Structures are given as C-alpha cells and as structure tokens.
Amino acid sequence: MAVDPKHASVNGRKRSPRPQKSHREVADELRARIRSGELQPGQRMPTQARLADEFGVERGAVRQALRILQSEHLLTNVSKGSPATVAADPGRALTGPGAPPLPTMVALAPRIGAAFAAPHVEIDALCLTAISLTLAIGEPLRQIHAGRLKPAKVDVRVLLPSSHIDLAFPAPVDATAAGRLRRHWLAQRNAQGQVLQHNLLALRATHGIDVRVTFRALPFTPPVKLYLLNGAEALFAYYMVTRREEEVDHESLEMYDAEGTRSMLFAFEQGAGLRDTTFVEQSHLWFNSLWETISSELELTS
C-alpha cells in the first residue's frame, strides 16, 4: 500500500504516537543524526513541514530547533523559504551534548545564541567581570536586529564580586600597587556591566521585547564561573590563576589573575542523563541561594 507523503517520516522512520516534543528535543534528535552521519555533510534537510509532521510539533518549534543547530555551525541556510543544509564539516561544530570542553571565548557564544531562540530567554551568570557574557551576547543581538530572532522576553541576572571586598584575584605581586589594580578592575567590571545592560535594555525600544537585567554583588571572589541558560543548561569553568604582566595606568604591573575568556567551559544539559540533570538542578539551587541570601544590591558606578 502506498504511503501518503504527508505522513512519511524522515529517512523512512516510522513515527509512533508520543507527547509533543520541545524545540530542544527536536534539535537534540537532528543533532544526533548529523553527528552519526545519518544526515551527511552538504545534504539538504527535509522541509520544515515534513519535520513538523514527523516530530508532531508546530513549524515554529522546528524553526527554533534549526536555528539552534545553525548557531552550533551544524546547519547552514536556515530560512523560512527553503530547507536548511547540513554544514560541510559538522565534525568541527563546537557545541552540543558530548562536545569536549572548550575555552569560554569559543564555546559560550553558540550556546547563548541558541538560548535566544526561545520565546522567553533566561540567563543567570556568576563571573568576575562579565566580559565573556557581554561578548557572547553580541551575536544573538545582531540576529535580533536582523530580524532572524524575536524572543518575547529576556531575563538576565548577573552575580559579580562586590566593590567593598579585598579581591583574591586579580591581586598585585607587589602589595603596594593594590589600590591601582583595584581601581582598574572596578572600572572594567562596571564598564562591561553597563555595556551589557545598555545593549539588552535597548531591545525594549527597538523591538518591543520585555527585558529585565539585574546585577547583585557577592561578598567573595568567585573561583569559578557559571552560566545557566533557560533552565536547561549549565556551563561551568574554573578560573585558572596565573602570574602575568599587564599595563595599568600606563605602567607595567605584575599580578596574579585569571583570564576568564580562556577558561575551559564544561557543558551540562537537563535530560542528558542523571548526572547532567542533577548538576543543572543543583547549579540553579546554588545560584538562587547566593542571589537570595548573601548577595547585595550592586551599582555599576562604585
């Protein structure tokens, strides 16, 4: 008996009744097919209509899933008009479940970009200066301004060290330069936070997106950085402290510091196994415990 094309599944797979999948589950399944070689480099994907039919979801969920894979460099030519194409070299894709740890500068931006495909974007971050977050959020902002992304709501919470504590790092090798280095770090923290805040809040006026950005101050120097994305992912890295030299106020200064953009980022995903799921859940509980108890209001001017 002939099979109605409307009900044919991708790659001949027979679809069985099941609860409607989320766009992330659709992305996970398609990602697995690409990584396994079932979908070959350069191959055109099935149409969005066929994918929606196979997975039992709306086309909007399929588009969100495809955008996630595009942000991970697994797909190209994602648009409403024609099927996407598997990247020429998907083995070089930098993110997704099972990907190796990579420097924050490399790994964070694709995950932030994927998070912005959701209607309600939720990002929690614990870090030293917010430099990595500010850089990573640049690409989804460009996608929004280009009309390729349109979240309805964006909530960002950031925990940063207080300006009223003695930082463990950065710290000068020569203690007499502590004041100079402290002022330098504080100016950097405030500048990055202000840029992040300004760029996100501007989305209210330019695109009518409901945006909220909140900062709170920690009474300690965080030895790790943590990014929590849409309640589904936790990205974790250690700050590796080294001795290095930097120009501060036009003078060379030796210090103990950690370059956060080079910190290796480990990814954990809700639903990717008991260990990953528990790590994501516990990370949220830890972040909220700091936010709601020992943190305090933070002004990006002091």
Side-chain angles (χ1 to χ4, degrees):
M1 184 176 72
V3 178
D4 186 338
K6 290 190 298 182
H7 302 291
S9 60
V10 176
N11 297 326
R13 296 186 179 196
K14 190 173 181 179
R15 189 182 61 181
S16 57
R18 53 183 178 262
Q20 189 171 38
K21 290 179 176 289
S22 70
H23 69 278
R24 290 192 175 277
E25 289 175 307
V26 174
D28 290 344
E29 172 62 23
L30 294 177
R31 186 190 295 110
R33 294 181 193 179
I34 293 171
R35 290 196 180 282
S36 70
E38 188 174 336
L39 291 169
Q40 292 289 315
Q43 179 180 341
R44 296 191 75 173
M45 296 286 289
T47 64
Q48 293 180 15
R50 287 191 65 194
L51 290 172
D53 183 59
E54 178 187 358
F55 291 107
V57 298
E58 299 295 330
R59 290 195 194 185
V62 171
R63 281 195 292 273
Q64 288 183 337
L66 297 178
R67 285 175 186 147
I68 287 174
L69 299 182
Q70 183 180 42
S71 75
E72 296 175 1
H73 311 297
L74 288 169
L75 293 179
T76 60
N77 303 324
V78 173
S79 68
K80 291 184 180 180
S82 59
T85 303
V86 179
D89 189 3
R92 296 184 61 191
L94 303 175
T95 57
L102 292 160
T104 300
M105 190 70 177
V106 175
L108 183 59
R111 300 315 311 146
I112 294 287
F116 267 80
H120 183 187
V121 181
E122 295 179 277
I123 298 176
D124 292 337
L126 179 150
C127 43
L128 192 63
T129 60
I131 290 176
S132 297
L133 181 60
T134 302
L135 291 172
I137 222 159
E139 181 55 30
L141 291 180
R142 284 190 288 273
Q143 296 287 335
I144 289 172
H145 291 304
R148 289 189 284 271
L149 290 175
K150 182 65 186 292
K153 188 175 183 180
V154 177
D155 283 312
V156 177
R157 300 189 299 173
V158 185
L159 284 170
L160 296 170
S162 168
S163 59
H164 305 300
I165 64 171
D166 292 327
L167 291 169
F169 60 89
V173 173
D174 180 357
T176 61
R180 183 155 57 100
L181 182 55
R182 179 188 181 82
R183 288 190 297 272
H184 175 74
W185 168 81
L186 187 58
Q188 190 176 56
R189 185 205 71 174
N190 291 345
Q192 293 297 327
Q194 288 167 358
V195 169
L196 178 67
Q197 187 175 54
H198 171 79
N199 289 346
L200 286 168
L201 293 180
L203 296 176
R204 289 178 179 172
T206 58
H207 293 81
I209 298 172
D210 181 9
V211 179
R212 181 172 55 183
V213 185
T214 314
F215 296 86
R216 288 187 69 80
L218 290 170
F220 62 88
T221 308
V224 298
K225 56 165 54 182
L226 176 69
Y227 305 97
L228 305 171
L229 311 180
N230 292 348
E233 292 182 71
L235 307 172
F236 174 91
Y238 295 101
Y239 279 117
M240 294 295 183
V241 180
T242 60
R243 182 167 174 161
R244 67 184 187 89
E245 193 171 314
E246 183 179 331
E247 187 173 294
V248 176
D249 296 336
H250 309 293
E251 291 184 34
S252 181
L253 180 62
E254 279 198 299
M255 66 183 77
Y256 299 109
D257 195 12
E259 295 188 41
T261 57
R262 297 183 183 180
S263 298
M264 298 298 287
L265 206 60
F266 294 81
F268 300 84
E269 188 171 29
Q270 188 92 25
L274 179 59
R275 185 171 63 172
D276 274 41
T277 296
T278 303
F279 187 89
V280 173
E281 291 173 351
Q282 290 296 309
S283 295
H284 275 281
L285 290 172
W286 182 60
F287 185 95
N288 286 332
S289 72
L290 296 175
W291 188 269
E292 295 165 3
T293 57
I294 60 174
S295 66
S296 57
E297 290 187 19
L298 186 152
E299 295 290 336
L300 294 170
T301 56
S302 60

